[in-house]
């Protein structure tokens, strides 16, 4: 039997996020059951099940080696290695290997593109060659025939926000990758954050407005729905109330889906190959 997969979440006080995390763990159990591998999940803080409880349960069932995979879109901080070191002190027979965080995997970007497409459902398709970036003077009136072209539409990719500048820089990198690989028909892809670091969602929207966008689609770079997504939508709605001339739309999160499970399973198999 293969070593179990232990999915590790940061944890929050958000019941909706925890519920979707639990559903995703169940999805992976169903997928990996065919490969004779157990799947468990635990949080570093605030939410249950806690990481310590999940590890104790696996050890009690006779597992002394596991693959610990952070369910995260950004780089892993020092709290995860510290937590796993503590688990080894509690369970001296325990051995573990890390799986890589999800990061800007091409399949993750493809799911973001689907969320963007759903939010932009009635935007006309571009014709001809790939359009260039247009910067339009906001004082210049645009012909209004009721249609908004992709070249008049901007995207704001919204990350969680961190005190770690490297993690924030990674979100900027994802915005650029997303623009060049999936959103090149749009005016621009700007970066914003839910909290902790600027620019916030209103700042990202304001930059798009000043570039001349007539429509802005907010795309959350978040795994699961919950309080963070609600904050993104609330900030976008509050900004939109003061700018009724700007069409603002909000896309859904990546969410519990088969594509996300594919990425996690590949990270798991990759970790196993490195061990072997």
């Amino acid at each position: 039997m293969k070593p179990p997969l232990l999915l590790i979440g940061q944890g929050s006080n958000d019941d909706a996020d925890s519920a979707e995390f639990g559903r995703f763990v169940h999805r992976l159990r169903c997928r990996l059951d065919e490969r004779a591998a157990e799947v468990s999940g635990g949080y570093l803080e605030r939410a249950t099940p806690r990481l310590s409880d999940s590890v104790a349960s696996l050890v009690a069932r006779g597992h002394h080696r596991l693959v610990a995979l952070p369910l995260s879109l950004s780089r892993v901080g020092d709290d995860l290695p510290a937590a796993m070191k503590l688990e080894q002190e509690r369970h001296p027979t325990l051995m573990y290997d890390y799986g890589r965080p999800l990061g800007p995997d091409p399949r993750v970007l493809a799911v973001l593109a689907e969320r963007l497409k759903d939010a932009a459902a009635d935007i006309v398709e571009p014709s001809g060659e790939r359009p260039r970036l247009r910067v339009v003077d906001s004082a210049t009136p645009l012909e209004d025939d009721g249609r908004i072209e992709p070249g008049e539409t901007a995207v704001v990719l919204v990350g969680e926000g961190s005190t770690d500048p490297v993690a924030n820089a990674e979100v900027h990198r994802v915005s650029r990758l997303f623009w060049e690989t999936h959103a090149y028909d749009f005016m621009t892809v700007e970066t914003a954050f839910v909290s902790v670091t600027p620019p916030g969602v209103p700042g990202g929207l304001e930059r798009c407005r000043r570039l001349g966008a007539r429509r802005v689609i907010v795309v959350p770079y978040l795994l699961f729905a919950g309080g963070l997504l609600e904050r993104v939508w609330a900030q976008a709605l509050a900004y939109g109330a003061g700018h009724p001339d700007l069409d603002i739309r909000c896309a859904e999160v990546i969410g519990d889906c088969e594509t996300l499970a594919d990425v996690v399973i590949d990270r798991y198999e990759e970790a196993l190959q490195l061990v072997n």
Side-chain angles (χ1 to χ4, degrees):
M1 187 172 184
K2 293 182 178 180
L5 167 62
L6 176 61
L7 287 176
I8 303 174
Q10 184 63 43
S12 70
N13 296 320
D14 192 321
D15 292 340
D17 180 276
S18 298
E20 195 158 11
F21 179 88
R23 288 192 293 271
F24 186 65
V25 170
H26 178 73
R27 180 188 297 273
L28 284 167
R29 282 177 181 152
C30 296
R31 290 279 301 271
L32 287 176
D33 181 61
E34 300 173 357
R35 309 185 189 198
E38 284 199 45
V39 180
S40 186
Y43 290 104
L44 290 175
E45 56 184 352
R46 294 191 291 273
T48 56
R50 298 297 294 270
L51 173 64
S52 56
D53 295 333
S54 296
V55 170
S57 177
L58 289 171
V59 172
R61 295 201 299 275
H63 297 291
H64 299 282
R65 187 177 201 111
L66 56 85
V67 173
L69 195 151
L71 195 60
S72 171
L73 293 170
S74 60
R75 67 191 294 269
V76 178
D78 296 334
D79 49 352
L80 175 56
M84 292 305 299
K85 182 179 179 180
L86 179 59
E87 293 307 314
Q88 272 194 318
E89 294 173 357
R90 290 172 174 160
H91 309 282
T93 62
L94 178 65
M95 299 179 67
Y96 60 89
D97 302 284
Y98 283 125
R100 288 190 297 126
L102 308 181
D105 186 281
R107 290 163 293 184
V108 171
L109 296 184
V111 175
L112 288 179
E114 291 176 9
R115 305 296 179 258
L116 173 62
K117 182 178 179 181
D118 290 342
D122 65 347
I123 298 179
V124 296
E125 293 294 328
S127 59
E129 298 180 354
R130 169 174 171 167
R132 299 175 180 270
L133 171 64
R134 291 195 306 124
V135 180
V136 182
D137 184 353
S138 59
T140 302
L142 296 169
E143 294 183 5
D144 189 1
D145 60 358
R147 298 188 309 172
I148 299 178
E149 303 282 343
E152 300 168 314
T153 301
V155 177
V156 177
L157 187 90
V158 183
E160 183 172 349
S162 171
T163 57
D164 181 356
V166 177
N168 295 330
E170 177 69 12
V171 179
H172 281 275
R173 175 173 172 265
V174 172
S175 293
R176 184 70 197 192
L177 282 170
F178 186 59
W179 189 15
E180 294 209 10
T181 57
H182 292 286
Y184 47 79
D185 292 324
F186 294 87
M187 175 185 288
T188 183
V189 176
E190 297 295 320
T191 305
F193 299 94
V194 182
S195 61
V196 181
T197 188
V201 176
L205 291 167
E206 176 64 14
R207 178 166 173 78
C208 294
R209 187 187 69 81
R210 293 189 181 190
L211 286 172
R214 299 177 64 194
R215 171 180 287 150
V216 183
I217 302 175
V218 176
V219 178
Y221 186 53
L222 304 171
L223 282 176
F224 300 132
L228 285 178
L229 178 62
E230 291 173 2
R231 289 171 66 182
V232 171
W233 287 356
Q235 291 177 36
L237 288 171
Y239 179 89
H243 301 84
D245 56 325
L246 187 63
D247 179 6
I248 299 174
R249 301 183 177 196
C250 294
E252 296 285 348
V253 293
I254 294 168
D256 166 29
C257 63
E258 285 297 311
T259 302
L260 187 63
D262 290 339
V263 177
V264 170
I265 291 171
D266 283 355
R267 295 288 190 272
Y268 169 70
E269 296 288 353
E270 176 186 79
L272 292 180
Q273 291 175 5
L274 291 175
V275 173
N276 298 330

